[in-house]
Amino acid sequence: MTDSPSAERRRFGMHANLLYDVITKQAGTLQKAILEGVMNGVDAGATRIEITLTHETLIISDDGKGFKNRNEIEQFFETFGTPHQEGDARYGRFRMGRGQLMAFGRNIWRTNIFEMAVDIKGRGLDYDLATLATPQPGCTIEIELYDQLLPSDRDSIDRELRSWVAYVDLPVLLNGKQISKPPTETEWDVETPEAWFKLAASRNTLSVYNLGVLVMNAPASRFGTGGTVVSKQRLDVNFARNDVQSNCPIFNRIKAELRKHSDEVVVAKPKMTDAERQHIAERILDKSLSIEDTLDLKVLTDVEGRHYTLRKLASLLAANPNIIATQRGDRVGIRIADARLANVLANDTLERFGADNLTELISQLHALAMAADERLRLCPGTNSHRFATYEFCRCILLAQPRSVGDYEHLISTDFNSIDAKQLKPNEKIKIRALHKASYSIAAALYDRTISVRFTVREVRAGESDLAEAWTDGMTNIWIDRRQLTLLEKGYTGCARLAGLLLHEYMHEGPDTDTHTHDAEFYQRYHDLTLDSDAIGMAAATMMKALADEARRRGRKPGPRIAIFADEEEMLKREGGIGSNVDPIPGDSDPSPELSPPD
């Protein structure tokens, strides 16, 4: 055995270039650097912090304890990374944040009898330390910015700082205006020993504040709700201070409260937001929510954007085991679903459950159902849950994942316009009736001053396997030839076609690729159908046109049409509403193609 050589114990150090990089590159934005200055003031025991910002200067002043002596300057200002002692700071840990202020301009720090001048770009890591003739209370940092600010920069800094220091419990002033408000002066939904909570399921983000300073705006799906949380105790945040460490005991208790609220709201409410669906799916996957407790929550989304439950999926698979997934609004997918060739989920559902493909999703659900079934067999008194879970498990086993390509040969993806010369005489009459009704829809849109184009769109006949109607979003609407037979069903059929016309008017661009609708679309459609007589007037216009055409040809209108025409005539004789559609303002000289047919 050889003797070990004698060893000299050494310690690693940091090269000056690395420290320079830490100072210059840890800074993201000026507002983030200002936030560090605010937190330093709070850590120093300040009762008031003032920020003055112009296009070329920044001043941060506080009435805290500052640096008391030269030893503190050498340890805590000159040396980066000296850790705080437990309890001597609310936010700081390693005394690194001041470097962000130094990165944006020439700094002059004044505190007690000391003045420190720092110019990272001019002098690198060297700084000047001087003694003041008159002591300076607290700490004031004057910065001559390396780059002047534009007005938009100052607006952005103002907006973000207001959000970031919103709940700091001492006055923080920006250019003379207070931008903070103590959380004790705010109304909250819930208060616990760890935090204050204001929760809003309608918000897409949850804003998390560490002792009044914003840490992160997290997606609502991460915690199951949106809103605001302000901690009463210090959170363990990461080095960048933009997230909370997963092992933070305070935040784990906050998350438990968020989860409790989310579960109560989701189970009680009839509708969920997409963020809540995402959260529930993640809870199912991590087994913190059981399948049997979520069978009746609408966590699945189909190709048309409708949401339904796991129990509903089981019943659909029992009737037809074929299932595919495609982009929400995909015309081919919608047609496959309408023809009941397969059940069609939206890709949103796969993403919600973290599945790369449909086979993986089905496998996940089956494994969870099997685990639930086994769990329920061991629990007495849960027969109803056991039966529902067994049925879900059985039906998931039946599922046959397919692809859209398996059905494309059965469906034409073309949208064909039919030349008027190719239409049968009765089809031409029906198209003219629909075109007259188009004027009624456009007039209703104009009267409502809704933000869609209300120019009259010409109605044409077309052929498509994918749609009952479609539009170019500007001048034309095509009605699938097969839908024209609805006009033979009297008012019911005319109202159905009027609804189709209104639906297409809501589209401000072509809708032949995908057929998706956002909340604004549905709101506009809802307003027109319920708060105006657009559909009623359009249907009446169609029936009047059909009756007039029949009489013009020396024929009697069909009984369903004639009854309506008689009632309208009686109303006219009694001075009621006439059947003529008023011209649309601004359209007094329409082109021949868009004139109402005679």
Side-chain angles (χ1 to χ4, degrees):
M1 181 175 182
T2 59
D3 294 334
S4 298
S6 59
E8 178 185 359
R9 179 156 293 180
R10 305 283 295 171
R11 174 169 293 181
F12 292 112
M14 177 185 288
H15 194 279
N17 288 351
L18 178 57
L19 176 57
Y20 183 85
D21 272 5
V22 169
I23 292 173
T24 57
K25 293 183 179 177
Q26 70 166 322
T29 61
L30 179 57
Q31 47 266 49
K32 185 70 173 173
I34 296 172
L35 180 63
E36 289 290 341
V38 171
M39 290 191 287
N40 285 346
V42 175
D43 285 345
T47 62
R48 179 184 178 91
I49 298 172
E50 296 189 30
I51 305 163
T52 304
L53 180 67
T54 70
H55 67 285
E56 58 186 11
T57 62
L58 166 66
I59 301 173
I60 303 176
S61 179
D62 68 64
D63 60 356
K65 60 186 179 182
F67 294 98
K68 296 178 181 177
N69 51 54
R70 186 182 181 94
N71 183 56
E72 286 193 356
I73 289 175
E74 292 176 354
Q75 288 190 57
F76 307 144
F77 181 82
E78 182 176 305
T79 304
F80 280 79
T82 303
H84 282 276
Q85 300 300 312
E86 183 65 32
D88 74 344
R90 297 182 68 181
Y91 303 111
R93 289 191 298 170
F94 298 111
R95 291 186 170 94
M96 298 291 294
R98 65 190 178 281
Q100 296 192 40
L101 290 167
M102 297 173 184
F104 283 97
R106 287 176 283 275
N107 283 215
I108 295 180
W109 293 56
R110 296 187 180 93
T111 174
N112 290 323
I113 61 170
F114 303 102
E115 178 182 281
M116 294 83 81
V118 183
D119 184 0
I120 289 294
K121 287 190 175 181
R123 295 196 298 266
L125 298 179
D126 295 332
Y127 76 98
D128 293 335
L129 175 62
T131 301
L132 298 171
T134 304
Q136 169 77 46
C139 182
T140 297
I141 309 164
E142 297 182 4
I143 302 174
E144 181 185 348
L145 298 173
Y146 290 130
D147 299 310
Q148 293 189 3
L149 300 176
L150 296 172
S152 60
D153 296 327
R154 293 172 62 185
D155 290 342
S156 176
I157 291 171
D158 183 294
R159 183 173 56 253
E160 293 190 7
L161 274 179
R162 287 175 184 275
S163 171
W164 291 351
V165 303
Y167 300 104
V168 173
D169 60 1
L170 58 88
V172 178
L173 287 78
L174 176 61
N175 291 336
K177 295 183 179 180
Q178 186 166 329
I179 59 174
S180 63
K181 182 179 181 181
T184 52
E185 298 178 9
T186 301
E187 293 185 6
W188 302 96
D189 299 329
V190 180
E191 182 178 353
T192 69
E194 293 78 26
W196 293 276
F197 300 79
K198 184 179 288 293
L199 304 176
S202 59
R203 275 188 56 184
N204 293 324
T205 58
L206 180 76
S207 300
V208 178
Y209 286 79
N210 175 29
L211 296 170
V213 171
L214 183 67
V215 173
M216 62 179 172
N217 286 312
S221 60
R222 180 173 171 184
F223 301 105
T225 184
T228 302
V229 174
V230 180
S231 75
K232 297 180 178 180
Q233 303 175 53
R234 175 174 167 169
L235 303 176
D236 294 332
V237 299
N238 60 358
F239 188 78
R241 293 180 179 172
N242 60 8
D243 205 344
V244 184
Q245 303 283 36
S246 61
N247 60 351
C248 175
I250 303 301
F251 196 60
N252 284 337
R253 291 197 285 275
I254 289 174
K255 286 193 293 185
E257 183 65 32
L258 291 170
R259 181 168 291 183
K260 173 185 172 184
H261 173 82
S262 173
D263 291 350
E264 290 173 351
V265 170
V266 168
V267 171
K269 68 192 296 190
K271 294 183 179 181
M272 288 192 291
T273 64
D274 282 342
E276 288 169 337
R277 290 186 189 91
Q278 178 73 44
H279 181 66
I280 292 299
E282 292 172 358
R283 296 277 308 279
I284 292 172
L285 292 175
D286 68 19
K287 300 182 176 61
S288 59
L289 272 181
S290 64
I291 280 282
E292 57 267 34
D293 289 334
T294 53
L295 280 173
D296 294 314
L297 298 181
K298 294 183 177 181
V299 294
L300 306 174
T301 304
D302 74 5
V303 66
E304 293 191 76
R306 295 184 296 248
H307 309 290
Y308 54 84
T309 66
L310 294 170
R311 191 192 297 268
K312 175 67 172 178
L313 175 64
S315 67
L316 292 172
L317 291 172
N320 183 349
N322 296 316
I323 182 169
I324 62 176
T326 187
Q327 178 184 356
R328 187 192 294 203
D330 177 58
R331 286 278 195 180
V332 176
I334 292 172
R335 181 58 181 157
I336 291 170
D338 289 344
R340 299 185 180 180
L341 299 174
N343 301 295
V344 188
L345 293 176
N347 287 335
D348 307 45
T349 300
L350 303 187
E351 295 169 5
R352 192 172 297 147
F353 281 85
D356 292 332
N357 52 60
L358 188 56
T359 300
E360 183 178 338
L361 174 65
I362 296 299
S363 177
Q364 287 175 338
L365 294 177
H366 180 247
L368 292 166
M370 290 289 286
D373 186 55
E374 180 64 26
R375 183 167 56 251
L376 290 171
R377 291 178 190 277
L378 303 175
C379 300
T382 55
N383 289 332
S384 60
H385 267 77
R386 180 179 299 141
F387 177 76
T389 306
Y390 170 77
E391 280 299 296
F392 178 73
C393 182
R394 181 183 68 83
C395 295
I396 285 293
L397 273 174
L398 298 174
Q400 296 293 320
R402 306 287 189 190
S403 69
V404 173
D406 293 336
Y407 302 95
E408 286 182 336
H409 67 285
L410 301 174
I411 299 170
S412 169
T413 58
D414 295 332
F415 292 85
N416 298 316
S417 179
I418 302 175
D419 189 279
K421 297 177 181 178
Q422 298 176 340
L423 295 176
K424 299 176 182 178
N426 66 331
E427 289 178 325
K428 293 180 180 179
I429 293 171
K430 293 173 180 178
I431 288 295
R432 284 201 293 270
L434 283 164
H435 186 49
K436 282 190 173 183
S438 180
Y439 268 76
S440 298
I441 300 292
L445 283 169
Y446 180 85
D447 290 341
R448 294 283 300 175
T449 62
I450 287 183
S451 60
V452 297
R453 297 184 181 92
F454 55 82
T455 304
V456 177
R457 298 183 192 176
E458 183 172 3
V459 179
R460 301 175 182 271
E463 289 180 322
S464 174
D465 282 346
L466 300 182
E468 295 175 340
W470 63 97
T471 182
D472 59 11
M474 297 181 67
T475 58
N476 295 288
I477 294 174
W478 288 267
I479 300 293
D480 182 60
R481 190 177 209 162
R482 289 164 293 189
Q483 301 302 313
L484 297 179
T485 58
L486 288 171
L487 286 165
E488 300 165 12
K489 297 182 178 181
Y491 186 80
T492 301
C494 290
R496 165 71 175 147
L497 286 167
L500 276 178
L501 288 175
L502 177 59
H503 180 100
E504 296 306 325
Y505 263 101
M506 294 294 95
H507 285 287
E508 296 181 275
D511 63 346
T512 50
D513 291 333
T514 59
H515 201 236
T516 57
H517 310 107
D518 56 17
E520 183 181 356
F521 179 97
Y522 283 118
Q523 186 63 51
R524 291 201 306 263
Y525 189 83
H526 173 274
D527 291 346
L528 260 295
T529 53
L530 295 186
D531 299 341
S532 78
D533 195 27
I535 289 180
M537 289 298 295
T541 299
M542 288 182 221
M543 298 184 73
K544 172 88 167 44
L546 293 174
D548 289 348
E549 179 65 25
R551 292 192 177 99
R552 188 175 71 84
R553 292 170 174 263
R555 301 175 182 175
K556 292 183 179 180
R560 294 178 179 176
I561 300 295
I563 291 174
F564 182 87
D566 290 346
E567 290 178 352
E568 185 186 43
E569 182 63 26
M570 292 174 63
L571 282 173
K572 289 176 65 176
R573 292 177 183 179
E574 294 171 4
I577 299 174
S579 61
N580 292 328
V581 179
D582 293 333
I584 299 172
D587 201 22
S588 58
D589 186 23
S591 62
E593 299 84 52
L594 297 184
S595 300
D598 294 331

